[in-house]
Amino acid sequence: MSKSATREDEDIDEEEEESGPIPIAKLETQGISAAIVKKLLEAGFHTVESVAYSTIKALVKVRGITENKAEQLLKASSELVDLGFSTASEIQQERAEIVHLSTGSTELDKLLAGGIESSSITEIFGEFRTGKTQICHQLCVTCQLPYEQGGGEGKALYIDTEGTFRPERLMSIAERYGLDGNDVLDNVSVARAYNSDHQSKLLFNACAMMTEERYALLIVDSATALYRTDYSGRGELAARQMHLAKFLRTLQRIADEFDVAVVITNQVVAQVDGGAMFVSDPKKPIGGHIMAHASTTRLSLRKGKGECRVCKVYDSPMLPEAEALFAINSDGIGEPKD
């Protein structure tokens, strides 16, 4: 092999390393001791980005890290991670690399300008039997497809809080795309969350897994169900919202660090105040403003005729407010049948 070819291979390897999250061990090249790096790992910091995005307050909670050491860590991580301004042109180039995961429905993909977007949080809310969990199952399969087929060429992580995950559903969807069902199941990691604290701890496990392998999708179905039972009454509302805000902030950090599509489902509650009589649909998503501000794109689902469902863009920084019809078929999400 020629020297020029070897250099090209090395350049490609360097580009691949730079494109993904930076391993926490890289901090050692900035003068951080291996002992401190080990403590960070034990505390759930697996990438340089996770340190760079943290506050001094968060870092000093790690055993053995003082305020001075936290400042050194932030300075060292900022040498490796760009935290300054970028031009709009540079951001446009970065967004050109965004991956869109197909929902299985042509009309729904068209509504979402290609599908579910990576590096952001997409919230799907609606009543029971509107297709929230079905879309999640569909995405677990499509995220494994090649990019040119609307996939993300990666694995899926699924945090199930309601016990509604069904591997049999993935098998039938996999058959539609000509995929081996057992391979599809092996590429989906599922954890059952039993309380809101456990739900948050599972995100630290997710970060550790994402540093080892390529994941394209993280699902939390549902993000709010456990909060409704763990916290009750107005007396615990502030504590609930604070806990929920931290959980959602961690989700956004994961989306930024690992370039994954984060999908969360949400329940709705009946609006019983005086304004309900002036609204065509008196149901609203729970979580309040905390949930509204954390989600990049919010999708509202409602029932249609038979197996048909209606998806509406409820809030988005880019997508116009519009609706699309889709159906829940035996082989997954697809087009309504005449």
Side-chain angles (χ1 to χ4, degrees):
M1 184 182 291
S2 66
K3 289 183 179 179
S4 60
T6 304
R7 288 197 195 99
E8 287 177 4
D9 290 340
E10 289 175 354
D11 290 341
I12 290 171
D13 291 338
E14 288 177 4
E15 287 177 5
E16 287 178 349
E17 287 180 5
E18 290 175 0
S19 64
I22 305 171
I24 193 74
K26 197 80 172 177
L27 283 176
E28 294 181 34
T29 64
Q30 301 296 314
I32 304 299
S33 68
I36 293 297
V37 170
K38 184 180 179 182
K39 289 177 180 179
L40 288 169
L41 273 170
E42 292 171 351
F45 294 87
H46 297 276
T47 66
V48 176
E49 287 87 350
S50 64
V51 176
Y53 300 157
S54 297
T55 61
I56 291 178
K57 181 181 176 182
L59 291 173
V60 295
K61 289 181 179 179
V62 179
R63 183 174 56 85
I65 293 182
T66 62
E67 191 168 321
N68 287 336
K69 182 58 71 176
E71 290 177 354
Q72 291 176 22
L73 285 168
L74 289 176
K75 184 179 179 181
S77 61
S78 65
E79 295 291 328
L80 299 171
V81 179
D82 185 12
L83 298 175
F85 285 98
S86 300
T87 66
S89 297
E90 290 171 336
I91 294 174
Q92 186 180 33
Q93 289 176 1
E94 290 176 7
R95 285 196 55 78
E97 302 297 320
I98 291 289
V99 175
H100 289 87
L101 303 180
S102 173
T103 60
S105 164
T106 304
E107 291 302 313
L108 196 49
D109 286 348
K110 193 182 299 181
L111 177 73
L112 301 176
I116 302 295
E117 190 176 84
S118 65
S119 300
S120 66
I121 299 176
T122 300
E123 176 196 353
I124 304 173
F125 66 87
E127 286 185 284
F128 66 96
R129 214 173 68 82
T130 52
K132 302 185 298 294
T133 298
Q134 294 300 320
I135 290 177
C136 291
H137 281 70
Q138 176 75 37
L139 291 170
C140 282
V141 178
T142 56
C143 77
Q144 302 179 38
L145 294 171
Y147 293 123
E148 58 270 18
Q149 293 182 31
E153 296 185 4
K155 297 185 176 184
L157 277 170
Y158 198 114
I159 297 177
D160 180 13
T161 68
E162 298 180 307
T164 53
F165 177 80
R166 295 293 181 269
E168 300 88 348
R169 191 69 176 129
L170 300 188
M171 297 286 277
S172 59
I173 299 172
E175 188 177 344
R176 165 184 170 184
Y177 292 98
L179 301 175
D180 182 271
N182 291 321
D183 290 341
V184 167
L185 295 184
D186 288 340
N187 288 330
V188 180
S189 299
V190 186
R192 178 73 190 274
Y194 295 99
N195 57 64
S196 53
D197 287 337
H198 183 211
Q199 180 175 315
S200 295
K201 288 177 182 177
L202 286 172
L203 294 187
F204 291 102
N205 297 342
C207 289
M209 296 170 69
M210 288 181 184
T211 57
E212 299 294 329
E213 296 182 275
R214 158 69 181 160
Y215 283 85
L217 176 68
L218 170 60
I219 289 173
V220 185
D221 182 26
S222 121
T224 52
L226 296 175
Y227 285 93
R228 300 185 77 174
T229 54
D230 290 354
Y231 299 87
S232 58
R234 290 189 175 275
E236 294 185 304
L237 181 60
R240 185 191 82 169
Q241 292 301 86
M242 188 177 296
H243 196 293
L244 178 60
K246 289 180 179 179
F247 174 76
L248 294 171
R249 180 67 192 92
T250 305
L251 280 179
Q252 185 58 63
R253 198 191 75 188
I254 290 173
D256 291 335
E257 282 181 46
F258 300 100
D259 192 29
V260 298
V262 175
V263 175
I264 59 177
T265 65
N266 192 8
Q267 300 176 346
V268 294
V269 64
Q271 193 172 340
V272 294
D273 54 21
M277 66 179 68
F278 303 107
V279 182
S280 58
D281 186 1
K283 293 176 290 295
K284 62 180 181 179
I286 67 172
H289 295 294
I290 295 291
M291 180 67 77
H293 291 303
S295 303
T296 311
T297 301
R298 309 187 82 189
L299 304 177
S300 170
L301 303 184
R302 68 176 189 270
K303 300 168 189 172
K305 292 182 179 179
E307 295 302 315
C308 287
R309 303 291 184 270
V310 181
C311 176
K312 178 182 179 181
V313 176
Y314 190 79
D315 180 42
S316 171
M318 187 180 75
L319 302 173
E321 187 175 309
E323 295 183 349
L325 274 175
F326 68 94
I328 303 172
N329 301 319
S330 59
D331 58 354
I333 302 299
E335 314 307 327
K337 295 176 181 177
D338 296 333

